[in-house]
Amino acid sequence: LYNKEKANDKNASAVNSLNFLDERINFLSGELTDVEENVERYKRNNEVTNIDSDARMYVEKAADYNRQISEWEVQIDVLQTIEDYLTKSENKSILVPSTLNIKDPTLQDLINRFNELQLERQGLLRTMQPNNPLVANLSDQPSNLEVNILENMRNIKQGVIITRNNLQKSYAQFQTKKQLVPSIERDLLEIN
């Protein structure tokens, strides 16, 4: 009887322990699910999938945008230089410098025609006086082309500035994301 009571006490103790462990497992399982959902929600809210690969991508994208911004700024500088060159009165009878990396066929064509007219005018001036009707006629044509070149360049420059500004915004976004990586990583470690 004593052994039977002892066995019943052990069984009751074991049942209580099992019930306690089952409750604890259910509680921890629910808590773990909540934590996993928190991680998922945090990653979704911060647009993070894998911290290391995302950080690497942010660095690469920021560097790429920075390179593109530099290229567009060079184009803006070239356009500004040519515009300044054309608007100076002492350069009216001199050839327009190269547009380097500006890949606008209309601008290229206008500048080529302008330079051809200037060369033709300079050739005529070697044998004729500046008041000769042929020279005078060639003197007016570059002025008309100059107006077209300046207008075309200003339009191109506006487009280039808009593109550069958009790139700068994208660059700033990736810079911000890149700078947030350590705090996001720390937050995820705390959640985990």
Side-chain angles (χ1 to χ4, degrees), residues 21-32:
L21 291 175
D22 283 342
E23 286 176 23
R24 204 62 196 134
I25 287 173
N26 287 337
F27 174 76
L28 290 175
S29 176
E31 201 170 87
L32 185 59

Side-chain angles (χ1 to χ4, degrees), residues 132-168:
N132 186 301
L134 287 173
V135 175
N137 184 31
L138 279 177
S139 296
D140 293 339
Q141 290 179 23
S143 298
N144 296 334
L145 273 175
E146 182 182 322
V147 171
N148 292 338
I149 291 170
L150 287 170
E151 183 180 331
N152 187 270
M153 281 187 0
R154 287 180 184 134
N155 291 335
I156 293 169
K157 192 165 132 187
Q158 285 176 339
V160 169
I161 289 171
I162 289 169
T163 302
R164 185 212 46 199
N165 291 345
N166 289 336
L167 287 170
Q168 285 175 332

Side-chain angles (χ1 to χ4, degrees), residues 114-127:
F114 180 87
N115 286 341
E116 287 170 5
L117 287 172
Q118 292 291 36
L119 288 172
E120 190 177 336
R121 182 177 175 275
Q122 288 172 4
L124 289 175
L125 281 174
R126 284 188 211 125
T127 58

Side-chain angles (χ1 to χ4, degrees), residues 85-131:
Y85 184 84
L86 283 171
T87 54
K88 289 183 181 173
S89 60
E90 66 264 12
N91 294 331
K92 293 299 179 194
S93 61
I94 301 175
L95 301 177
V96 174
S98 170
T99 57
L100 295 174
N101 59 352
I102 309 298
K103 295 180 178 41
D104 184 74
T106 306
L107 180 63
Q108 294 285 347
D109 185 48
L110 288 170
I111 289 176
N112 288 340
R113 285 195 344 220
F114 180 87
N115 286 341
E116 287 170 5
L117 287 172
Q118 292 291 36
L119 288 172
E120 190 177 336
R121 182 177 175 275
Q122 288 172 4
L124 289 175
L125 281 174
R126 284 188 211 125
T127 58
M128 298 178 191
Q129 295 298 320
N131 58 357

Side-chain angles (χ1 to χ4, degrees), residues 26-55:
N26 287 337
F27 174 76
L28 290 175
S29 176
E31 201 170 87
L32 185 59
T33 301
D34 289 345
V35 168
E36 288 172 347
E37 287 173 355
N38 284 345
V39 168
E40 180 184 335
R41 192 173 21 258
Y42 186 82
K43 283 184 173 183
R44 193 177 324 110
N45 290 342
N46 290 291
E47 299 175 6
V48 175
T49 53
N50 179 323
I51 292 289
D52 293 334
S53 65
D54 287 351

Side-chain angles (χ1 to χ4, degrees), residues 68-87:
Q68 289 181 44
I69 289 168
S70 296
E71 290 173 3
W72 288 101
E73 285 179 347
V74 166
Q75 289 189 25
I76 292 169
D77 289 344
V78 167
L79 289 168
Q80 187 61 50
T81 301
I82 294 172
E83 186 177 337
D84 293 345
Y85 184 84
L86 283 171
T87 54

